[in-house]
Amino acid sequence: MNSSNSSEKINNDSIDDIGNRSSVTIIGLGPMGKAMVSAFLNRGYEVTVWNRTSSKAIELVTKGAIRASSVNEALASNELVILSLTDYDAMYAIFESVSDELSGKVIVNLSSDTPEKVREAAKWLSERGAWQLTGGVLASPSEIGNRESITLYSGPSDIFDAHRKTLEVLTGTDYKGKDPGLAMLYYQIQMDVFWTAMLSYLHAVSVAQANGITAKQFLPYVSEILYTMPKLLEFYSPRIDTGTYHGDVEKLAMGLASIEHVVHTSKEAGVDSSLPAAVQDVFKRGIALGRADESFISLIEIFKQSGAQP
Ligand code: NDP
């Protein structure tokens, strides 16, 4: 059975029925899974939990969760099963021995992985009669239960619609489409920006600290530069999409001179300069391609070329 055929078999009545159930199974009790269990309990849901390390369920049981004694029992308790695991390999590790019990289940996988692994998992589940909704949680555990946080979802739209209300106990939802990999792709490209930006922040703080400036003293200045970013992105994104690289302001040659100063300031401070040096290297490659007079956004072509290399 594949997921599209399966979803066609669910008529509107049974979708409503599933959507209205106020019980759910959660597998995976790391910081995120625990926060999700608490959010459902706070909203009066009956929550069945299972975790490889069963002791992690103790505290949740005292709050009202039901600890399943086996994965089979956890699956049997509810049609809606939420996974919060380190990655998708963990899902196979848990489900492989019980794959006969997956038929008819809606598996909402909120674990992180690559879009391709997510698509493979959706196929694997569909071959066992289950549906997968992929989720990318754009929130920390402390933000779970807050509708202002967002989780990106993709997968069969009727299955998502049937469970949206329940999933919105955790966070607000943003449905990206039926391709199961899509939510994960959006999630990973946001993480791409997040981690690179956070590490550049840490690098700048180390240069500040090496000069006797604390992270707190630096805070208003770093906040100011980040505050300008949305406007810059709004300006540049249509130009990036149309490949309009003529350099009016931020010419690539000027950018190289600027990042060189950053690298030297870092070295003067005795701080590891590998991060700005990597940025400097990309600028140099752009110059080598004859793009010195173009806007720095033409550096996107460097990334595209590198991606095409074996
Ligand atoms: P953890 O890595 O702390 O918890 C992972 C869970 O996965 C644990 O329950 C662990 O079980 C289980 N697990 C890992 N490997 C296996 C395996 N081979 N077999 C069975 N169970 C396994 O992660 P978090 O709770 O922090 O996060 C969960 C997911 O949410 C991750 O994919 C993460 O990227 C994502 N996320 C996390 C955020 C955060 O701030 N924490 C923010 C946004 C997304 P055991 O307890 O037995 O080790």
Side-chain angles (χ1 to χ4, degrees):
M1 181 174 80
N2 67 39
S3 61
S4 53
N5 289 343
S6 310
S7 46
E8 277 160 19
K9 285 183 199 150
I10 293 188
N11 62 33
N12 285 338
D13 288 342
S14 60
I15 285 171
D16 286 340
D17 183 32
I18 293 169
N20 287 335
R21 281 202 191 122
S22 55
S23 71
V24 64
T25 289
I26 298 191
I27 294 180
L29 301 176
M32 193 49 103
K34 282 183 178 175
M36 290 175 176
V37 174
S38 297
F40 278 117
L41 289 174
N42 290 342
R43 288 284 293 274
Y45 277 69
E46 184 183 285
V47 189
T48 300
V49 299
W50 185 88
N51 195 58
R52 177 180 61 178
T53 309
S54 62
S55 57
K56 288 192 187 168
I58 293 170
E59 171 203 343
L60 296 167
V61 170
T62 63
K63 289 186 182 173
I66 302 161
R67 177 164 55 174
S69 57
S70 64
V71 180
N72 269 342
E73 196 180 306
L75 284 173
S77 303
N78 288 292
E79 276 153 310
L80 186 63
V81 178
I82 294 178
L83 305 185
S84 178
L85 303 166
T86 306
D87 53 25
Y88 273 61
D89 283 346
M91 178 197 81
Y92 296 114
I94 293 169
F95 282 166
E96 224 136 32
S97 61
V98 295
S99 67
D100 291 347
E101 311 302 319
L102 290 166
S103 184
K105 302 296 168 187
V106 172
I107 308 297
V108 182
N109 200 331
L110 302 180
S111 318
S112 171
D113 217 308
T114 69
E116 267 318 300
K117 288 200 86 166
V118 166
R119 290 184 184 113
E120 281 164 22
K123 188 165 172 286
W124 187 86
L125 284 170
S126 138
E127 286 163 0
R128 284 152 185 82
W131 298 274
Q132 174 176 293
L133 283 177
T134 310
V137 184
L138 299 173
S140 63
S142 64
E143 292 167 318
I144 297 299
N146 176 352
R147 285 282 297 274
E148 282 170 20
S149 304
I150 288 291
T151 300
L152 305 160
Y153 286 97
S154 63
S157 61
D158 51 354
I159 299 290
F160 173 74
D161 289 340
H163 295 284
R164 187 172 55 80
K165 256 174 74 179
T166 301
L167 297 173
E168 286 182 346
V169 168
L170 300 176
T171 62
T173 58
D174 182 359
Y175 177 72
K176 302 313 300 172
K178 69 176 185 320
D179 168 5
L182 209 47
M184 191 54 67
L185 180 65
Y186 271 92
Y187 175 79
Q188 294 304 352
I189 57 182
Q190 295 215 43
M191 288 300 105
D192 189 342
V193 174
F194 178 77
W195 288 121
T196 316
M198 288 310 279
L199 284 199
S200 80
Y201 164 67
L202 291 180
H203 181 268
V205 170
S206 18
V207 175
Q209 286 181 338
N211 287 280
I213 299 165
T214 65
K216 204 170 168 192
Q217 285 171 319
F218 179 47
L219 182 60
Y221 300 93
V222 67
S223 300
E224 180 61 27
I225 196 150
L226 291 176
Y227 183 74
T228 64
M229 287 295 176
K231 278 269 171 246
L232 285 177
L233 302 186
E234 223 171 276
F235 175 80
Y236 284 123
S237 56
R239 287 164 175 76
I240 293 169
D241 278 343
T242 53
T244 311
Y245 299 148
H246 54 79
D248 307 327
V249 228
E250 275 90 14
K251 287 196 178 173
L252 216 161
M254 184 279 286
L256 176 62
S258 172
I259 191 69
E260 271 172 0
H261 298 154
V262 174
V263 171
H264 291 144
T265 303
S266 165
K267 285 183 176 162
E268 278 175 15
V271 164
D272 183 321
S273 57
S274 54
L275 192 58
V279 178
Q280 182 189 27
D281 179 58
V282 179
F283 271 92
K284 281 184 177 164
R285 285 156 61 198
I287 301 277
L289 286 177
R291 297 186 176 276
D293 286 331
E294 291 183 349
S295 164
F296 79 97
I297 59 171
S298 69
L299 290 177
I300 194 167
E301 298 298 334
I302 303 280
F303 294 128
K304 288 180 183 170
Q305 279 182 4
S306 308
Q309 284 166 11

